[in-house]
Amino acid sequence: MLPVTESGGRGLFVTGTDTGVGKTLVSAALARFLLRQGVRVGVMKPVESGVADPASLGEDGELLRWAAACEAPSELISPCRLVDPLAPSLAAQLAGTRIDIDGLVAAAGEMLTRYDFVIIEGAGGLMVPLLDRFLIGDLARRIGLPLLTVCRAGLGTLNHTLLTLQAARGWGLQPVGLVVNGMPAEPGLAEQHAPSMLAELGEIDVWQVLTQVEGDPRQKVEALFQQFDDGLMERLFAQQQ
C-alpha cells in the first residue's frame, strides 16, 4: 500500500534513470490504466523544458493530461514551462526567470486534494537541477510521495538504476518499485537478466517489464497501459483505509 501524504492525498513521484528512458510514456500509461479502472487521476509535470509556447502545455504535459482525462488547469498540471530544451535551472536562467519551488510544492498539494491518485513526473533524473543546488530529488522530498523509477532494459541499466536508488534513499525518499521499459522482442542476455538482477541488487520490486511499442505517443500509451497487470492495482490500493 502506498502511504498518504500530509495533505491526505495518494500518488507517485515518477523519475527515470536518464533522459529518454520513457518515463513520460510510462507515467501516461499508468494514468490511463488507473483511469480505465475508474480512478480519478490527477497528473503533473511540475517543470517542463523544451516547450515551444510556454503559454500552453508542452508535449509531455499535454500527453499526461490526455491520458488521465485530467481537467485541472494547465497551471496545476505543469506550473513551470520553459522554452529551451535544457536542464531546468539553465533554461530558466536563459528565460530570465527563477523556478518557484514553493509554488511547485503548493500546486502538487492542490492536486493531491482534488484527485484520488496523482502521478507526478519529474524532469530527467533525480540529480537534475531546478534552482541553484536544488535538484529534482529535493523537490520529490518536499512533495513527499513514494518514488517509482523507470529504467532501461539494456546493458548499463544496473549501474544507472542502482545509483538512482542509492541517491533516492540518501534523500530519505521511499522507492517502491521499478518499471523496466523498452524490453526488445528478442532480448539478449543483458536484457533477459536485468529485471531479476535489479530486484535483487536494488532490494526493490519490479512492478512491470514493458516491451517496446511503436506508433505516435498516444498510440504508444494505449499499447503500454494494456501491458499492466492486475497486480499493479493491488500494489497501489491494497489495504487502503
Side-chain angles (χ1 to χ4, degrees), residues 45-58:
K45 177 92 173 188
V47 179
E48 182 173 357
S49 57
V51 179
D53 178 12
S56 303
L57 288 175

Side-chain angles (χ1 to χ4, degrees), residues 9 14 28 30 35 40 50 55 62 74 78 96 104 119 123 127 150 154 156 168 172 176 198-199 216 218 230 232 240:
V14 181
L30 180 57
L35 178 69
R40 294 177 60 255
E62 179 58 32
S74 298
S78 185
L104 300 182
I119 297 167
M127 304 299 287
V150 180
V176 292
L198 286 169
D216 63 35
R218 292 191 179 190
D230 292 339
L232 179 61
Q240 287 197 22

Side-chain angles (χ1 to χ4, degrees), residues 65-94:
R65 183 208 61 75
W66 164 80
C70 182
E71 298 180 350
S74 298
E75 291 72 21
L76 289 180
I77 293 176
S78 185
C80 181
R81 302 184 288 273
L82 301 163
V83 172
D84 291 298
L86 301 167
S89 61
L90 179 56
Q93 180 181 342
L94 293 174

Side-chain angles (χ1 to χ4, degrees), residues 52-152:
D53 178 12
S56 303
L57 288 175
E59 292 182 3
D60 291 354
E62 179 58 32
L63 186 67
L64 291 169
R65 183 208 61 75
W66 164 80
C70 182
E71 298 180 350
S74 298
E75 291 72 21
L76 289 180
I77 293 176
S78 185
C80 181
R81 302 184 288 273
L82 301 163
V83 172
D84 291 298
L86 301 167
S89 61
L90 179 56
Q93 180 181 342
L94 293 174
T97 187
R98 287 172 63 86
I99 295 174
D100 179 6
I101 302 300
D102 289 340
L104 300 182
V105 175
E110 176 65 22
M111 290 292 280
L112 286 162
T113 65
R114 292 188 180 203
Y115 291 92
D116 299 332
F117 198 95
V118 179
I119 297 167
I120 301 179
E121 183 204 345
L126 293 177
M127 304 299 287
V128 169
L130 292 175
L131 177 67
D132 301 326
R133 293 181 179 274
F134 191 95
L135 310 178
I136 287 288
D138 295 306
L139 178 64
R141 181 172 56 185
R142 286 279 307 271
I143 292 173
L145 290 174
L147 186 75
L148 178 67
T149 302
V150 180
C151 59
R152 305 181 192 277

